[in-house]
Amino acid sequence: QVQLVESGGGLVQPGGSLTLSCKASGFTFSRHAMTWVRQAPGKAIEMVSTITTGGTSTAYVDAVKGRFTISRDDAKDTLYLQMNDLKPEDTAMYYCAKLTEPSARGQGTQVTVSP
């Protein structure tokens, strides 16, 4: 079955950086667009970034444009999110998601930005 396993979260000071990874299995990773979403406590899930097959196109929510970079390594079935200049408002649980059917989401990795 489809499995998505995120890693790389942690506690970082404002202005710091983190790189999230998502290892995919159970489907042909290279044939699907992939997405990072996040959910802060008490808030709705928010789409952070999406990347198309082959990495030919990417999209970002306005709040992270210029600071976050999504990428993929199809040879490793892995999705990445490079996060720079992190802000306290980036604090959330970050999930890797496959939105095409059958849709799936990983267990998430916590990112906390605090002095």
Side-chain angles (χ1 to χ4, degrees):
Q1 72 276 22
V2 174
Q3 280 198 312
L4 301 168
V5 180
E6 302 93 336
S7 62
L11 173 64
V12 63
Q13 293 184 341
S17 298
L18 284 173
T19 300
L20 306 184
S21 300
C22 171
K23 176 66 174 175
S25 61
F27 65 103
T28 306
F29 179 76
S30 62
R31 294 182 181 176
H32 295 270
M34 296 295 296
T35 297
W36 285 100
V37 300
R38 66 185 179 185
Q39 188 169 29
K43 295 190 176 181
I45 289 178
E46 176 183 45
M47 191 283 289
V48 176
S49 183
T50 296
I51 187 167
T52 57
T53 54
T56 54
S57 182
T58 58
Y60 301 89
V61 67
D62 285 347
V64 308
K65 283 181 180 176
R67 300 188 296 121
F68 290 12
T69 303
I70 191 171
S71 62
R72 62 192 299 158
D73 185 338
D74 289 344
K76 296 182 178 179
D77 292 342
T78 302
L79 179 72
Y80 301 99
L81 186 67
Q82 172 69 44
M83 306 185 295
N84 297 327
D85 190 23
L86 283 160
K87 305 177 185 299
E89 52 264 41
D90 295 318
T91 295
M93 186 71 80
Y94 283 71
Y95 300 91
C96 168
K98 174 181 175 290
L99 303 183
T100 51
E101 291 297 328
S103 61
R105 191 179 74 181
Q107 83 291 344
T109 187
Q110 178 68 40
V111 172
T112 302
V113 185
S114 179

